[in-house]
Amino acid sequence: MITAPNHVPERLALLATSAVDPFLTQELLTGEQVHGGIDLAKVVEPLPEDDARWLVEPVRSLVEDAMYEFREDRTRADAWLATRLHATLRLTRREAADKRLWNHIALAVAPDYVAWRHLSEPTANKPERRIAAERFRGPADRQCFSRLWWAAELFRNGRDYEPVEAACGNQDLIHTVLRMELIDHRPTAQALVRLLKSGKVTTGREIFGLSVAINAAGATLVYDVLAPDGPRDPARLRDWIAEAGSAPPVDRRRLPDGPDEDPVREESVVALTDYFAELFETAPVRGRKSED
């Protein structure tokens, strides 16, 4: 397994996707050898030096702890790291939508974590172990670090990250649901977590079938009417971001706190949970009829 690059930068930066490919070598994608880091540092765009959020050490420390803590079960690292990455990288959504930031974290700061987490196991059809290139510079729902940050952003309930742990503990949920436009509706996200925690929906086929039904119903039903969500105060998020420089490192044992925003209305979550449970009864779940 590869180790960290010889040169790990002190600060985060922006790495254009067009500059990524020369560093996605065969040796890197097979987990054999990482780039040195010096040449990559020449093609990045620096971020403001007066912003404490761009220090690399807190992120680097997190991924090293994750690799040690979950060395026996790599997939469990997602639920642990998602909440702490979000609380450490206090970003606006606009900043988080910039793929260049995630490119830099994956290639310059923690390519060894990407390899550790996403190096495939050999199979009869694919005997070579390999990391998909999209884990370094892919879309938000596939890139190693952006998918975790966005899962935490979309599934947190105000400052409470507990729903994020539940969501990220199911790979099928985060892979499928992060592609849904409706997931930005907070009661929808919380209702899905409730169904998952209750055991009503568990398998990948069930999650996919329910997501299809939810999207189809959303074309004719405005979920904001069925399950209204109060307006969010942008000042609370700005204050949380402004406190990044004085915030202590996130706790490794207990969940951190997110922005001090109001939680989702309980009546809205209950209404959508019940509605989605009804949708699930007729959702197109492949194989369900034959199993029944």
Side-chain angles (χ1 to χ4, degrees):
M1 184 69 70
I2 65 174
T3 60
N6 293 330
H7 173 76
V8 176
E10 294 184 0
R11 301 186 65 81
L12 299 178
L14 304 177
L15 176 62
T17 300
S18 59
V20 167
D21 285 348
F23 299 96
L24 294 180
T25 62
Q26 177 72 8
E27 291 78 15
L28 175 60
L29 294 179
T30 54
E32 297 175 0
Q33 184 177 351
V34 71
H35 58 84
I38 296 295
D39 290 338
L40 191 149
K42 299 175 182 177
V43 297
V44 304
E45 178 182 336
L47 288 162
E49 293 192 3
D50 60 350
D51 195 328
R53 295 180 299 159
W54 310 136
L55 291 173
V56 160
E57 192 280 330
V59 175
R60 184 67 219 177
S61 177
L62 274 180
V63 300
E64 289 178 357
D65 287 349
M67 287 189 286
Y68 177 80
E69 184 71 21
F70 300 98
R71 58 194 181 278
E72 302 298 332
D73 188 352
R74 295 176 297 169
T75 59
R76 290 182 55 227
D78 286 354
W80 184 91
L81 183 58
T83 58
R84 291 163 177 83
L85 182 68
H86 188 274
T88 298
L89 279 179
R90 301 188 178 195
L91 306 173
T92 66
R93 289 191 174 191
R94 175 175 292 184
E95 289 169 333
D98 192 337
K99 293 181 179 180
R100 297 176 299 169
L101 176 65
W102 305 114
N103 290 343
H104 187 254
I105 294 175
L107 263 297
V109 177
D112 51 328
Y113 181 85
V114 182
W116 174 84
R117 175 62 185 86
H118 293 292
L119 186 64
S120 65
E121 295 297 332
T123 64
N125 295 330
K126 296 181 179 180
E128 182 183 57
R129 303 182 72 195
R130 193 169 184 85
I131 311 161
E134 62 187 3
R135 298 301 187 180
F136 289 99
R137 51 104 168 99
D141 63 298
R142 300 294 293 171
Q143 203 269 358
C144 179
F145 296 105
S146 67
R147 74 188 187 98
L148 298 179
W149 191 95
W150 279 105
E153 171 66 10
L154 296 172
F155 282 105
R156 66 182 174 87
N157 190 7
R159 65 186 301 172
D160 183 11
Y161 283 122
E162 191 276 333
V164 179
E165 281 197 318
C168 291
N170 188 300
Q171 295 297 305
D172 294 309
L173 183 69
I174 57 175
H175 287 168
T176 301
V177 175
L178 284 184
R179 302 175 186 176
M180 296 168 53
E181 292 183 5
L182 286 170
I183 198 60
D184 196 27
H185 181 237
R186 296 199 305 162
T188 294
Q190 297 307 312
L192 286 169
V193 171
R194 293 272 179 95
L195 290 172
L196 182 70
K197 292 171 68 175
S198 70
K200 181 70 175 180
V201 179
T202 56
T203 69
R205 289 182 179 182
E206 290 173 345
I207 290 169
F208 179 77
L210 178 59
S211 69
V212 170
I214 290 173
N215 275 328
T220 56
L221 176 69
V222 179
Y223 289 144
D224 276 326
V225 174
L226 178 63
D229 188 19
R232 301 165 74 173
D233 183 358
R236 297 190 183 185
L237 177 63
R238 289 196 298 267
D239 291 344
W240 186 68
I241 291 175
E243 294 166 357
S246 59
V250 294
D251 197 291
R252 269 41 175 180
R253 296 301 173 188
R254 70 172 186 86
L255 285 176
D257 291 327
D260 189 20
E261 296 176 332
D262 293 331
V264 182
R265 297 177 182 178
E266 177 64 18
E267 59 270 26
S268 292
V269 179
V270 171
L272 270 193
T273 302
D274 292 343
Y275 180 71
F276 290 165
E278 293 178 9
L279 279 183
F280 181 67
E281 295 301 324
T282 56
V285 178
R286 184 163 59 93
R288 179 157 63 179
K289 287 185 178 180
S290 62
E291 291 169 2
D292 291 342

